[in-house]
Amino acid sequence: MAATVLKFTPTLNFKDKGVVPHVNSKFHFYGGTQIDNTNAILSCSSSIKWKTRTNQFNPVCVAALNSSSELNSHTFDVVIIGAGIIGLTIARQFLLGSNLSVAVVDAAAPCAGATGAGQGYIWKIHRNPGSEQWELAMRSHQLWKALAESIKNQGLDPLQTLGWKETGSLLVARTANECSVLKSRVEQLLEAGLEASFLSYDDLLSEEPDLMVGREGGAAFVPDDHQIDARRTVAFIEKANRCFAPEGRYTEFYYEQATNLLRSESSGEVVAVQTSKNTLYGKKAIIVAAGCWSGSVLHDLTKHSEIELDFPVKPRKGHLLVIENFKSINLNHGLMELGYVNHKSATLSSTSSDSGSGYSAHTSSISMTATMDMSGRLVLGSSRQLVRFNTEIDESIITQIWERAGEFFPRLKQVSVKELSKSREVRVGLRPYMPDGKPVIDHVPGISNMFLAAGHEGEGLTLALGTAELIANMVLGNPQKVDPTPYSM
């Protein structure tokens, strides 16, 4: 089989993902089939343009040869680029719902990116019934609940396994106008069949004695909302995926950055992913689920072709402040201020720059979110910034998060953020942000066997199981449970 190698130079290094690479590549070979590939590979170069124009692919190759026989070669049915919650749950879906073999490749390791920095809520309270993402969110929530129930039926504790907590959620308001908005939201949620209620100041105080919103304040309450611990959940999914290793159906290639994508000269399909040490052939599908780095992968694939794709995913930086052994306040539910909804849905200006009336790239937005994790740690957020791939901790942002939380929990004002230096953890993640607020879950136009699942912003955990089901059904040709149209490229 003749193939064309598409080389690319990644736009980030391991430090960009917040990890230090191992000296030797960490290669968990649980399955797959080694093959002998003696075909010479041609190296190509060109540039990218944007917007879909044609489905034809005719790469212009230069004469530089690069033999893939220097690399170890393995064949799988599906190769997934990205080992965050989206990539791992897609792998899980194929393993459970088919007999296909799966490889997962990542430049770092699970939880090194946005997944590990997530607050972990699986909530409906901040969603709008009837919106384009409503159906997917409801399906995902249903699948998460089913997973927790199946764990319980196996005699395990979902709290210990997933960090699963049935906390319910509160969307909090401090003014009469904001409460009017919440009352309308509650009515919409009730009409959509959810259990929801509006809590007045007195009712809210009885639910959360440490929360102070003033006499005009109140909250919308959804008792069926949940939260999970991202790291425990990822560990559980990894362990479950590895159960398929003895069958030769699952392999992990961690700390191996994808360097080339190979395309068949006869069919035009993407046939393999090359890492620094391995060539991973995907007989049925190659899936890009690399979060905010997915745009770089697609860029480097299509820059050699006449295909023009518009996938303007951007890294949207976020901070979370996690405090150990903080006894000054206690939370009975997950909380979020109403302003979070506006900050999350803020979009970029339609102009070519990153600044404008919609959202300023360099202006941070701070909204109060507060949860208690399964270990009793106080988790406070959240911030949003468009500052490229910068993952450095910004102490000014941490201060703003603490001060904002203090406006809702006055007892926090008795402690300065500097006093927490020995009992705190700061999580920084890069959310894969799309200007229209929707992820892309679709096949790549013009390449029938390549798929994309990215752009979930801060909802990767929430939407992961529904996204995995969508992608797997696309690849397998199964009927969809959710309309995929809103997530097309």
Side-chain angles (χ1 to χ4, degrees):
M1 175 180 63
T4 302
V5 63
L6 305 179
K7 284 192 170 184
F8 63 89
T9 302
T11 57
L12 59 130
N13 55 34
F14 287 106
K15 290 183 178 179
D16 290 324
K17 296 199 74 172
V19 299
V20 178
H22 291 183
V23 175
N24 296 317
S25 172
K26 185 178 181 181
F27 171 31
H28 302 287
F29 185 71
Y30 293 111
T33 305
Q34 284 195 300
I35 66 170
D36 178 23
N37 177 29
T38 57
N39 295 313
I41 306 298
L42 296 177
S43 177
C44 304
S45 62
S46 184
S47 59
I48 189 166
K49 297 179 181 178
W50 297 99
K51 298 186 183 299
T52 304
R53 183 179 65 190
T54 176
N55 289 342
Q56 300 300 314
F57 181 87
N58 297 302
V60 179
C61 300
V62 297
L65 287 177
N66 175 16
S67 175
S68 64
S69 61
E70 298 173 2
L71 302 175
N72 296 319
S73 295
H74 313 280
T75 294
F76 306 90
D77 294 307
V78 178
V79 176
I80 300 168
I81 302 173
I85 190 66
I86 300 297
L88 289 174
T89 52
I90 291 173
R92 171 183 178 271
Q93 189 72 24
F94 282 114
L95 294 169
L96 293 175
S98 74
N99 61 356
L100 300 183
S101 59
V102 181
V104 178
V105 59
D106 197 285
C111 291
T115 297
Q119 199 156 2
Y121 43 75
I122 311 295
W123 290 357
K124 304 178 292 292
I125 195 167
H126 60 300
R127 299 188 176 281
N128 296 317
S131 64
E132 288 186 307
Q133 294 190 58
W134 177 258
E135 187 182 13
L136 178 59
M138 294 305 100
R139 177 59 178 165
S140 292
H141 194 275
Q142 178 186 8
L143 292 171
W144 278 117
K145 289 184 69 175
L147 176 59
E149 189 64 28
S150 70
I151 290 171
K152 187 182 298 183
N153 291 339
Q154 295 173 47
L156 303 174
D157 184 357
L159 175 64
Q160 296 299 321
T161 305
L162 304 176
W164 180 262
K165 295 181 66 179
E166 301 178 8
T167 58
S169 63
L170 292 166
L171 189 59
V172 178
R174 296 194 296 172
T175 68
N177 287 338
E178 288 182 340
C179 284
S180 296
V181 172
L182 290 186
K183 290 175 182 178
S184 297
R185 179 178 293 273
V186 167
E187 292 177 3
Q188 292 174 349
L189 295 173
L190 290 171
E191 291 174 0
L194 270 64
E195 183 180 355
S197 60
F198 177 80
L199 303 182
S200 66
Y201 169 79
D202 291 328
D203 294 333
L204 180 57
L205 190 61
S206 66
E207 292 286 339
E208 294 289 350
D210 291 322
L211 176 67
M212 299 297 168
V213 295
R215 279 287 170 186
E216 288 189 349
F221 177 46
V222 172
D224 190 42
D225 278 351
H226 302 75
Q227 68 186 66
I228 60 176
D229 183 284
R231 299 174 186 182
R232 282 182 179 264
T233 300
V234 163
F236 169 79
I237 292 173
E238 272 195 301
K239 183 178 180 180
N241 288 353
R242 290 170 181 173
C243 290
F244 293 87
E247 304 173 26
R249 291 186 54 206
Y250 183 66
T251 312
E252 295 166 354
F253 296 84
Y254 293 164
Y255 299 102
E256 288 199 28
Q257 198 157 8
T259 55
N260 303 318
L261 295 168
L262 310 185
R263 291 193 69 178
S264 168
E265 293 178 344
S266 58
S267 68
E269 291 186 343
V270 174
V271 296
V273 175
Q274 281 188 341
T275 73
S276 57
K277 293 184 179 293
N278 295 282
T279 299
L280 312 178
Y281 283 83
K283 294 187 294 184
K284 195 169 185 68
I286 307 281
I287 300 169
V288 178
C292 60
W293 291 274
S294 298
S296 298
V297 174
L298 284 180
H299 174 281
D300 291 302
L301 168 65
T302 58
K303 68 182 179 181
H304 304 284
S305 72
E306 295 180 3
I307 296 174
E308 297 181 356
L309 299 173
D310 184 10
F311 188 59
V313 65
K314 295 178 179 289
R316 204 180 197 186
K317 183 179 181 180
H319 289 70
L320 283 180
L321 177 60
V322 184
I323 306 170
E324 298 270 3
N325 301 317
F326 192 77
K327 307 298 184 183
S328 296
I329 65 171
N330 182 63
L331 300 180
N332 299 314
H333 308 86
L335 293 96
M336 171 189 295
E337 68 168 295
L338 179 60
Y340 175 94
V341 178
N342 295 329
H343 289 160
K344 178 189 173 299
S345 60
T347 60
L348 290 176
S349 168
S350 60
T351 63
S352 59
S353 67
D354 283 349
S355 61
S357 58
Y359 188 87
S360 171
H362 301 290
T363 300
S364 61
S365 63
I366 307 294
S367 307
M368 186 281 292
T369 61
T371 56
M372 286 280 189
D373 70 10
M374 60 168 293
S375 302
R377 296 179 297 182
L378 178 63
V379 184
L380 298 175
S382 67
S383 68
R384 280 176 160 80
Q385 296 171 284
L386 289 168
V387 288
R388 299 185 182 276
F389 290 94
N390 182 330
T391 58
E392 297 295 323
I393 294 174
D394 186 335
E395 290 296 338
S396 68
I397 296 295
I398 298 303
T399 299
Q400 291 179 61
I401 288 174
W402 183 252
E403 291 176 348
R404 185 64 178 171
E407 295 178 23
F408 291 84
F409 300 98
R411 289 186 181 180
L412 298 185
K413 296 180 179 180
Q414 300 173 7
V415 182
S416 72
V417 71
K418 292 182 179 179
E419 295 178 59
L420 303 173
S421 59
K422 294 183 179 180
S423 60
R424 78 173 197 181
E425 173 194 355
V426 176
R427 301 175 186 170
V428 177
L430 300 176
R431 307 177 184 93
Y433 167 78
M434 291 291 287
D436 65 359
K438 296 182 297 182
V440 171
I441 308 167
D442 198 6
H443 78 276
V444 177
I447 310 174
S448 61
N449 69 323
M450 189 161 191
F451 297 80
L452 176 65
H456 295 75
E457 217 269 358
E459 297 185 329
L461 286 167
T462 299
L463 301 179
L465 296 184
T467 296
E469 185 179 67
L470 271 175
I471 284 287
N473 285 339
M474 288 178 188
V475 173
L476 299 171
N478 295 335
Q480 292 287 9
K481 301 290 182 66
V482 172
D483 180 10
T485 305
Y487 313 105
S488 60
M489 292 193 71

